[in-house]
Amino acid sequence: MGKFSYYCEVHKDRQNIKKGIYFYSADRRNTFDYLRLISVSDKVWRQGPKGGVRITKDRSGPPPIKYIKKNE
């Protein structure tokens, strides 16, 4: 199985996490920092080992079910 990369977008400062876009790799997933980052993020997306991107969290509405195929 390939390694996934995750990106988290935070729209405003929350719980000592500044506004911005954060990156972490799948091997860091079980840390407390990861869980706090996910909880305060407005959008989270995952990039697969072949480059495909999937939205996993989106506070503005339900995330798409399939991989994103164009720049949105």
Side-chain angles (χ1 to χ4, degrees):
M1 183 172 172
K3 185 175 176 182
F4 291 96
S5 300
Y6 292 82
Y7 298 85
C8 300
E9 184 175 11
V10 179
H11 290 172
K12 59 183 176 181
D13 297 355
R14 295 186 186 129
Q15 297 181 18
N16 295 327
I17 296 176
K18 301 272 185 196
K19 172 183 171 180
I21 296 177
Y22 294 85
F23 164 82
Y24 66 90
S25 60
D27 56 353
R28 254 192 84 205
R29 279 181 37 175
N30 294 326
T31 66
F32 177 74
D33 291 339
Y34 155 78
L35 296 173
R36 187 173 58 157
L37 180 58
I38 292 293
S39 70
V40 301
S41 293
D42 295 287
K43 187 177 275 190
V44 178
W45 61 96
R46 176 182 80 184
Q47 184 172 8
K50 294 181 182 178
V53 173
R54 179 176 287 182
I55 303 289
T56 59
K57 178 182 178 180
D58 190 349
R59 289 190 184 193
S60 65
I65 305 239
K66 298 181 179 182
Y67 277 95
I68 298 171
K69 296 184 179 175
K70 60 183 176 180
N71 189 4
E72 296 180 11

